[in-house]
């Protein structure tokens, strides 16, 4: 080794955060990663042509584990996630939305699980909702199931895991050729295809605080989400040999939108 040069260390985990106009929350999101009890990671941040101060905030952190990437044009969250995944080098990739917060044991808990369960490809967790100011609600989602079989069945009716809590084996994921598709429910579309080729596990303990506010994608694009979610569900039914009629698709859309109860 030449004098003055340090040997490059490949981190075990690549944390992937695409961001677009989330400057008001980005400091807290980044700090929640840097404050993890597990420290062997790289943090990849990709700016999708923000018009606020998000990029300036991302570049303000002085930590050698951080890489800041910029898109030349607005690509949307799905394509930006794909770009980050292609640049990652870690054994595991951890996904996080740019307005959410990791609890300090998130990475360690998921790494420990994947290390001890070599047949599992994707490990997600429950989430707890917080408001715009970071106040915890005590309301949880995805905290009532764990197994791959439960995840697979849930994709017949709804989004089965929280995208912002995913950690997956990078090499196995890449070998499937799976990618996020741009649309209102790009995560659900991915899972509806992934459950047939990758094995999931959901940790019922919340490891991520999921922020609900007026500007996040979930709030702004609900109708688009319902429509794309229905297409993912139709895909799952078709894999089982069931073709839905137009009326059944309408009922399914109403159910997703919460305007129809099946109970």
């Amino acid at each position: 080794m030449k004098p003055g040069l340090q040997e490059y260390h490949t981190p075990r985990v690549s944390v992937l955060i695409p961001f677009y106009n989330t400057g008001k929350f980005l400091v807290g999101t980044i700090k929640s990663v840097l404050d993890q009890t597990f420290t062997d990671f790289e943090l990849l941040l990709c700016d999708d042509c923000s018009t606020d101060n998000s990029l300036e905030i991302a570049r303000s952190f002085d930590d050698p584990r951080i890489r800041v990437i910029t898109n030349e044009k607005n690509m949307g969250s799905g394509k930006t996630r794909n770009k980050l995944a292609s640049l990652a080098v870690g054994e595991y990739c951890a996904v996080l939305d740019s307005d959410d917060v990791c609890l300090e044991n998130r990475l360690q808990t998921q790494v420990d699980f994947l290390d001890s369960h070599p047949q599992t490809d994707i490990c997600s967790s429950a989430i707890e909702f917080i408001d715009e100011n970071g106040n915890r609600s005590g309301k949880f989602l995805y905290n009532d199931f764990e197994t791959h079989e439960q995840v697979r069945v849930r994709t017949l009716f709804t989004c089965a895991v929280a995208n912002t809590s995913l950690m997956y084996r990078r090499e196995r994921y890449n070998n499937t050729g799976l990618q996020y598709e741009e649309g209102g429910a790009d995560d659900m579309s991915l899972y509806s295809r992934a459950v047939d080729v990758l094995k999931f596990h959901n940790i019922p303990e919340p490891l991520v605080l999921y922020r609900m506010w007026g500007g996040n994608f979930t709030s702004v694009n609900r109708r688009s989400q319902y429509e794309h979610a229905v297409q993912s569900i139709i895909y799952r039914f078709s894999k089982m040999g069931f073709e839905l009629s137009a009326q059944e698709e309408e009922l399914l859309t109403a159910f997703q939108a919460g305007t129809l109860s099946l109970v």
Side-chain angles (χ1 to χ4, degrees), residues 12-16 33 36 38 40-42 90-96 102-103 105-115 117 120-125 161-173 180 191 198-203 207-208:
R12 290 208 68 200
V13 176
S14 297
V15 182
L16 314 180
V33 177
Q36 289 290 295
F38 182 90
D40 189 9
F41 62 82
E42 64 170 351
E91 177 184 357
Y92 302 137
C93 287
V95 180
L96 182 64
C102 288
L103 296 181
N105 64 329
R106 179 210 167 163
L107 295 184
Q108 187 69 67
T109 300
Q110 291 183 296
V111 167
D112 287 347
F113 184 88
L114 289 173
D115 281 351
H117 295 81
T120 298
D121 303 302
I122 297 180
C123 175
S124 57
S125 81
V161 295
N163 186 71
T164 191
S165 74
L166 289 189
M167 181 180 286
Y168 60 84
R169 298 183 190 274
R170 181 176 63 87
E171 186 173 347
R172 290 190 199 170
Y173 175 83
Y180 289 92
Y191 314 146
L198 297 172
K199 186 172 182 180
F200 283 72
H201 182 88
N202 187 64
I203 296 173
L207 298 177
V208 175

Side-chain angles (χ1 to χ4, degrees), residues 18 48 75-84 179-183 186:
D48 195 20
M75 296 170 56
S77 61
K79 290 181 179 179
T80 303
R81 292 186 199 282
N82 294 336
K83 178 177 180 177
L84 285 170
Q179 289 194 323
Y180 289 92
E181 297 177 344
E182 201 57 49
D186 55 1

Side-chain angles (χ1 to χ4, degrees), residues 21-64:
N21 287 354
T22 51
K24 64 190 300 184
F25 306 118
L26 195 55
V27 169
T29 300
I30 294 174
K31 282 185 175 180
S32 77
V33 177
L34 299 180
D35 291 342
Q36 289 290 295
T37 57
F38 182 90
T39 60
D40 189 9
F41 62 82
E42 64 170 351
L43 173 54
L44 304 186
L45 299 159
C46 187
D47 177 43
D48 195 20
C49 298
S50 297
T51 57
D52 66 355
N53 63 339
S54 295
L55 181 57
E56 180 183 351
I57 290 171
R59 287 174 169 168
S60 70
F61 284 84
D62 183 18
D63 191 301

Side-chain angles (χ1 to χ4, degrees), residues 211-225:
R211 194 182 306 273
M212 295 295 293
W213 62 289
N216 67 353
F217 189 89
T218 303
S219 299
V220 173
N221 299 276
R222 288 190 182 279
R223 181 64 190 180
S224 176
Q225 280 205 317

Side-chain angles (χ1 to χ4, degrees), residues 73-263:
K73 62 179 181 179
N74 183 268
M75 296 170 56
S77 61
K79 290 181 179 179
T80 303
R81 292 186 199 282
N82 294 336
K83 178 177 180 177
L84 285 170
S86 72
L87 296 172
V89 299
E91 177 184 357
Y92 302 137
C93 287
V95 180
L96 182 64
D97 290 344
S98 61
D99 51 358
D100 295 339
V101 176
C102 288
L103 296 181
E104 66 178 5
N105 64 329
R106 179 210 167 163
L107 295 184
Q108 187 69 67
T109 300
Q110 291 183 296
V111 167
D112 287 347
F113 184 88
L114 289 173
D115 281 351
S116 59
H117 295 81
Q119 300 307 312
T120 298
D121 303 302
I122 297 180
C123 175
S124 57
S125 81
I127 56 174
E128 181 179 355
F129 293 105
I130 57 175
D131 64 17
E132 187 168 354
N133 299 314
N135 299 310
R136 297 173 70 159
S137 68
K139 296 181 180 179
F140 305 93
L141 193 61
Y142 309 117
N143 61 322
D144 58 346
F145 66 97
E146 296 183 52
T147 70
H148 173 76
E149 290 74 21
Q150 289 172 317
V151 171
R152 195 164 186 266
V153 169
R154 280 177 177 243
T155 60
L156 289 169
F157 305 101
T158 187
C159 191
V161 295
N163 186 71
T164 191
S165 74
L166 289 189
M167 181 180 286
Y168 60 84
R169 298 183 190 274
R170 181 176 63 87
E171 186 173 347
R172 290 190 199 170
Y173 175 83
N174 288 344
N175 286 343
T176 67
L178 288 167
Q179 289 194 323
Y180 289 92
E181 297 177 344
E182 201 57 49
D186 55 1
D187 51 355
M188 187 171 175
S189 173
L190 176 67
Y191 314 146
S192 68
R193 292 171 284 128
V195 291
D196 291 327
V197 293
L198 297 172
K199 186 172 182 180
F200 283 72
H201 182 88
N202 187 64
I203 296 173
E205 169 193 354
L207 298 177
V208 175
L209 303 179
Y210 181 89
R211 194 182 306 273
M212 295 295 293
W213 62 289
N216 67 353
F217 189 89
T218 303
S219 299
V220 173
N221 299 276
R222 288 190 182 279
R223 181 64 190 180
S224 176
Q225 280 205 317
Y226 299 144
E227 292 172 350
H228 284 89
V230 167
Q231 293 306 308
S232 297
I233 294 171
I234 291 171
Y235 169 81
R236 291 303 310 153
F237 275 109
S238 69
K239 291 286 289 184
M240 300 173 63
F242 295 103
E243 299 297 331
L244 301 184
S245 68
Q247 183 179 12
E248 288 169 332
E249 291 184 17
E250 272 186 32
L251 291 171
L252 187 58
T253 301
F255 174 65
Q256 284 292 312
T259 59
L260 172 68
S261 174
L262 299 181
V263 180

